[in-house]
Short mmCIF file of all heavy atoms in Angstrom, two decimals:
data_model
loop_
_atom_site.label_atom_id
_atom_site.label_comp_id
_atom_site.label_asym_id
_atom_site.label_seq_id
_atom_site.Cartn_x
_atom_site.Cartn_y
_atom_site.Cartn_z
N HIS A 33 78.04 65.71 103.29
CA HIS A 33 76.88 65.49 104.15
C HIS A 33 77.16 64.30 105.07
O HIS A 33 76.86 64.36 106.27
CB HIS A 33 75.63 65.17 103.32
CG HIS A 33 75.00 66.33 102.64
ND1 HIS A 33 74.60 67.47 103.29
CD2 HIS A 33 74.66 66.50 101.33
CE1 HIS A 33 74.05 68.30 102.42
NE2 HIS A 33 74.08 67.74 101.21
N ALA A 36 79.51 65.15 107.85
CA ALA A 36 78.82 65.97 108.86
C ALA A 36 77.99 65.07 109.78
O ALA A 36 78.01 65.22 111.00
CB ALA A 36 77.94 67.02 108.19
N LEU A 40 78.63 63.95 114.00
CA LEU A 40 77.60 64.07 115.04
C LEU A 40 77.37 62.75 115.78
O LEU A 40 76.64 62.71 116.76
CB LEU A 40 76.28 64.52 114.42
CG LEU A 40 76.28 65.90 113.79
CD1 LEU A 40 74.99 66.13 113.01
CD2 LEU A 40 76.45 66.95 114.87
N GLY A 66 68.35 67.14 115.46
CA GLY A 66 67.54 68.33 115.62
C GLY A 66 67.61 69.23 114.40
O GLY A 66 68.50 69.12 113.56
N GLY A 67 66.66 70.14 114.31
CA GLY A 67 66.54 71.02 113.14
C GLY A 67 67.74 71.90 112.88
O GLY A 67 68.19 72.04 111.75
N ARG A 68 68.28 72.53 113.93
CA ARG A 68 69.44 73.41 113.72
C ARG A 68 70.64 72.61 113.25
O ARG A 68 71.38 73.03 112.36
CB ARG A 68 69.78 74.16 115.00
CG ARG A 68 68.80 75.24 115.29
CD ARG A 68 69.24 76.10 116.43
NE ARG A 68 68.25 77.13 116.64
CZ ARG A 68 67.95 77.66 117.79
NH1 ARG A 68 68.59 77.27 118.87
NH2 ARG A 68 67.04 78.59 117.89
N THR A 69 70.84 71.45 113.83
CA THR A 69 71.94 70.59 113.42
C THR A 69 71.73 70.10 112.00
O THR A 69 72.66 70.07 111.20
CB THR A 69 72.08 69.39 114.39
OG1 THR A 69 72.19 69.90 115.72
CG2 THR A 69 73.28 68.55 114.06
N LEU A 70 70.50 69.72 111.67
CA LEU A 70 70.18 69.29 110.31
C LEU A 70 70.44 70.41 109.31
O LEU A 70 70.91 70.17 108.19
CB LEU A 70 68.73 68.82 110.23
CG LEU A 70 68.28 68.28 108.87
CD1 LEU A 70 69.09 67.06 108.47
CD2 LEU A 70 66.80 67.95 108.90
N ALA A 71 70.17 71.64 109.71
CA ALA A 71 70.44 72.78 108.83
C ALA A 71 71.93 72.88 108.53
O ALA A 71 72.33 73.12 107.38
CB ALA A 71 69.93 74.07 109.47
N TRP A 72 72.78 72.66 109.54
CA TRP A 72 74.23 72.70 109.31
C TRP A 72 74.70 71.53 108.45
O TRP A 72 75.57 71.68 107.60
CB TRP A 72 75.00 72.75 110.63
CG TRP A 72 74.98 74.13 111.20
CD1 TRP A 72 74.30 74.55 112.30
CD2 TRP A 72 75.65 75.28 110.68
NE1 TRP A 72 74.50 75.89 112.49
CE2 TRP A 72 75.33 76.38 111.51
CE3 TRP A 72 76.48 75.50 109.58
CZ2 TRP A 72 75.81 77.65 111.28
CZ3 TRP A 72 76.96 76.79 109.37
CH2 TRP A 72 76.64 77.84 110.20
N VAL A 73 74.10 70.35 108.67
CA VAL A 73 74.43 69.19 107.82
C VAL A 73 74.04 69.50 106.38
O VAL A 73 74.77 69.19 105.44
CB VAL A 73 73.71 67.92 108.32
CG1 VAL A 73 73.81 66.79 107.30
CG2 VAL A 73 74.25 67.47 109.66
N GLY A 74 72.90 70.15 106.19
CA GLY A 74 72.42 70.47 104.86
C GLY A 74 73.23 71.53 104.14
O GLY A 74 73.43 71.46 102.93
N ILE A 75 73.73 72.52 104.87
CA ILE A 75 74.43 73.65 104.23
C ILE A 75 75.94 73.42 104.11
O ILE A 75 76.61 74.13 103.35
CB ILE A 75 74.11 74.97 104.98
CG1 ILE A 75 74.41 76.20 104.12
CG2 ILE A 75 74.87 75.06 106.28
CD1 ILE A 75 73.52 76.38 102.95
N ALA A 76 76.48 72.45 104.81
CA ALA A 76 77.93 72.24 104.83
C ALA A 76 78.56 72.11 103.44
O ALA A 76 79.52 72.82 103.13
CB ALA A 76 78.27 71.03 105.71
N PRO A 77 78.04 71.23 102.55
CA PRO A 77 78.68 71.13 101.22
C PRO A 77 78.57 72.42 100.42
O PRO A 77 79.50 72.77 99.68
CB PRO A 77 77.91 70.00 100.53
CG PRO A 77 77.26 69.25 101.62
CD PRO A 77 77.00 70.23 102.71
N LEU A 79 78.58 75.51 101.55
CA LEU A 79 79.58 76.46 102.05
C LEU A 79 81.01 76.03 101.69
O LEU A 79 81.80 76.84 101.21
CB LEU A 79 79.45 76.63 103.56
CG LEU A 79 78.14 77.24 104.07
CD1 LEU A 79 78.09 77.20 105.58
CD2 LEU A 79 77.97 78.64 103.55
N LEU A 118 66.48 73.72 103.81
CA LEU A 118 66.74 74.83 104.73
C LEU A 118 65.55 75.78 104.81
O LEU A 118 65.19 76.25 105.89
CB LEU A 118 67.99 75.59 104.31
CG LEU A 118 69.31 74.83 104.45
CD1 LEU A 118 70.44 75.60 103.82
CD2 LEU A 118 69.59 74.54 105.90
N LEU A 121 62.84 74.11 106.90
CA LEU A 121 63.19 74.19 108.32
C LEU A 121 62.98 75.60 108.87
O LEU A 121 62.46 75.79 109.97
CB LEU A 121 64.64 73.75 108.55
CG LEU A 121 64.92 72.26 108.40
CD1 LEU A 121 66.42 72.01 108.35
CD2 LEU A 121 64.28 71.48 109.54
#
Side-chain angles (χ1 to χ4, degrees):
H33 284 305
L40 296 170
R68 287 189 179 148
T69 306
L70 183 61
W72 282 109
V73 169
I75 199 68
L79 296 174
L118 292 172
L121 288 168

